[in-house]
Amino acid sequence: MTMLIPDAEHDDLHLGERPLIVCDIDEVVLEFVTPFEAYLDQNGHELRPTSFRLHGNIFSRADGSETPGETVSAMLEAFFQAQDEWQTPVTEAADCLARLSAQADIVFLTAMPPRHREQRRTLLSRHGFDYPMIATESPKGPAVQTLHGARAQPVVFIDDIFVNLQSVRKHVPETLLVNLMANENFRTLAPHPGEGVAIARDWPHAEALITAHFDKAAG
Ligand SMILES: [Mg+2]
């Protein structure tokens, strides 16, 4: 079946008659916070997080002043423009997804602006993440709902952000929701992902949660 997700740019999507795993990218399959810290460092700034956000937690190395919001946004834009020089795969993500892809369809769902789509596609494929990708800044719940529809197969959603997990919970309540965040500093600062969400320590733990869910569904 070929489908179209509104307000999104995406690869061809052909789902089989098998379970579906919808997977976020930043902080889930590609490191984001850690390489962005390195990028800031190269540009004379540093991240000193005291809360779960970038804005307000970045400071000038020259005089210690807080980096203005518009400068942070401009650096984020430049970072994503050059992401293929900076972002690296999260430990074991590729191997775990490869094993899971033997029994499930995998689709990447990234909130990245569609203008960075080409760089991201190239970067993912370079690291063996050859699964179709959807890039949209629209809420993730409706996107998963469009993908999964009324299928009877199990569906899984993996993300680091509370809002995204709860959006999917609201629109596709039967989804196994898995919270995964690569960067340890930010993981300790993150708000609890909310009710009904399984928290994975790392990719092997996420894989175990997902295969147990599939086994249970298969009876
Ligand atoms: Mg993310």
Side-chain angles (χ1 to χ4, degrees):
M1 170 172 57
T2 301
M3 59 184 77
L4 276 175
I5 308 292
D7 305 320
E9 292 211 9
H10 57 80
D11 300 321
D12 278 350
L13 299 167
H14 305 280
L15 299 185
E17 293 299 312
R18 55 188 202 147
L20 170 65
I21 299 171
V22 182
C23 185
D24 178 38
I25 294 178
D26 288 302
E27 279 302 314
V28 176
V29 299
L30 291 179
E31 296 276 356
F32 163 69
V33 174
T34 305
F36 188 57
E37 281 185 288
Y39 179 87
L40 289 171
D41 186 61
Q42 197 185 75
N43 287 277
H45 300 265
E46 77 178 309
L47 178 66
R48 297 202 305 264
T50 54
S51 60
F52 190 68
R53 56 205 300 272
L54 295 171
H55 287 83
N57 284 324
I58 294 171
F59 300 88
S60 161
R61 280 203 186 279
D63 60 9
S65 63
E66 186 187 316
T67 305
E70 59 269 30
T71 308
V72 174
S73 298
M75 286 193 291
L76 269 171
E77 173 69 19
F79 174 80
F80 282 127
Q81 203 65 250
Q83 59 183 274
D84 55 330
E85 297 164 36
W86 292 93
Q87 290 193 269
T88 52
V90 170
T91 307
E92 299 193 73
D95 288 346
C96 291
L97 281 175
R99 281 190 294 271
L100 289 166
S101 72
Q103 51 176 325
D105 286 321
I106 293 164
V107 175
F108 288 132
L109 178 58
T110 182
M112 162 159 293
R115 64 180 172 279
H116 299 307
R117 196 177 171 288
E118 279 314 308
Q119 286 100 315
R120 174 139 286 185
R121 182 68 268 170
T122 306
L123 175 59
L124 288 169
S125 297
R126 186 196 301 163
H127 293 294
F129 296 114
D130 284 316
Y131 312 105
M133 180 181 78
I134 304 167
T136 177
E137 290 177 289
S138 299
K140 291 196 175 185
V144 174
Q145 193 174 32
T146 304
L147 271 174
H148 182 59
R151 290 151 34 96
Q153 290 86 355
V155 55
V156 177
F157 177 69
I158 313 167
D159 204 289
D160 58 317
I161 302 292
F162 173 96
V163 172
N164 297 334
L165 291 157
Q166 293 300 324
S167 172
V168 173
R169 184 168 187 245
K170 182 174 163 212
H171 286 87
V172 192
E174 69 269 33
T175 308
L176 170 70
L177 301 166
V178 178
N179 177 235
L180 183 64
M181 176 151 211
N183 185 273
E184 246 174 89
N185 291 337
F186 262 71
R187 201 193 311 151
T188 52
L189 292 167
H192 190 275
E195 226 179 292
V197 178
I199 302 174
R201 290 180 302 274
D202 51 24
W203 263 103
H205 186 204
E207 183 183 0
L209 292 167
I210 293 165
T211 50
H213 182 69
F214 291 167
D215 290 348
K216 206 171 114 197

